[in-house]
Amino acid sequence: MPVALAHRTHSLTPTGREQAAELRRSLEASGARFDLVVTTPLSRAVETADLAFRGLADRFIVTPEATETAEERLGGPQRGVSTRALLGKFPFLREGWDLTAMREGDNWVLGSADVLGGAGYYHPLAVEARLEPLRHWLKGLPFERVVVVGHSNVFDRLLGLQMANCQLVEHDLDAPAETR
């Protein structure tokens, strides 16, 4: 298998679906509610957001700003699909999910088949270039309880900690860097 195919968007595995279901059970048992869920457009993040937070959050936003960018030696940026294809794959996105932050040709661009990573959509900027704007955007949201479903490569840098799959961490984005 060519390396470029290794980073195409994949659906959750049975283990991933069980992890999302376990997170949901835990959240339901605690009575947790959220104002907003922000997720990336990569399939496994969309599925996790739906499985774990449907009915527990008032709003959902899909944005490519928290997608990871794989190292070149691993095949380049993770690849997703167009907004239209995403809606076809996940019809529940038509039920009030906000996809306006996915701006094809701007922050969600189509890579050609002959470049690193192969055909598919990705964010054109490296993770490092998106961290502070992402932090600023999240802090400016008019909501108190926001969940971000994304990828460890981003959270490692944004929060200064390594997270496991479906791990929920409460974090204050205004906290001093040494406590992140």
Side-chain angles (χ1 to χ4, degrees):
M1 173 192 306
V3 175
L5 295 179
H7 288 284
R8 295 294 304 257
T9 188
H10 296 287
S11 295
L12 286 175
T13 64
T15 299
R17 283 190 290 279
E18 179 52 39
Q19 289 170 337
E22 179 58 36
L23 173 58
R24 180 180 189 79
R25 287 189 290 273
S26 173
L27 293 169
E28 287 176 332
S30 73
R33 293 275 314 154
F34 302 93
D35 300 314
L36 175 67
V37 173
V38 176
T39 186
T40 75
L42 296 183
S43 292
R44 64 191 185 278
V46 170
E47 288 178 276
T48 298
D50 180 57
L51 291 171
F53 298 101
R54 181 190 292 230
L56 300 178
D58 298 329
R59 295 170 187 82
F60 291 81
I61 293 177
V62 180
T63 178
E65 299 304 323
T67 55
E68 58 192 347
T69 304
E71 299 174 35
E72 287 191 21
R73 67 180 179 81
L74 298 176
Q78 301 257 336
R79 301 295 196 202
V81 297
S82 68
T83 304
R84 183 177 178 173
L86 197 64
L87 288 165
K89 185 173 184 177
F90 302 115
F92 61 81
L93 293 172
R94 296 182 190 279
E95 300 168 15
W97 289 52
D98 181 351
L99 279 68
T100 59
M102 289 178 62
R103 298 181 308 277
E104 291 182 21
D106 177 24
N107 67 355
W108 198 231
V109 299
L110 180 60
S112 71
D114 61 343
V115 298
L116 185 65
Y121 285 81
Y122 68 100
H123 196 295
L125 297 177
V127 170
E128 293 77 11
R130 290 183 267 133
L131 288 178
E132 283 310 310
L134 176 61
R135 179 187 310 279
H136 180 75
W137 179 75
L138 289 168
K139 287 171 52 173
L141 291 171
F143 305 107
E144 198 165 310
R145 299 207 24 112
V146 176
V147 173
V148 181
V149 178
H151 311 280
S152 63
N153 186 326
V154 175
F155 293 124
D156 293 352
R157 292 173 172 98
L158 185 66
L159 305 179
L161 56 93
Q162 289 191 322
M163 295 177 63
N165 286 346
C166 288
Q167 179 182 2
L168 189 65
V169 173
E170 189 165 340
H171 187 80
D172 179 358
L173 290 173
D174 288 321
E178 62 271 5
T179 63
R180 285 189 234 158

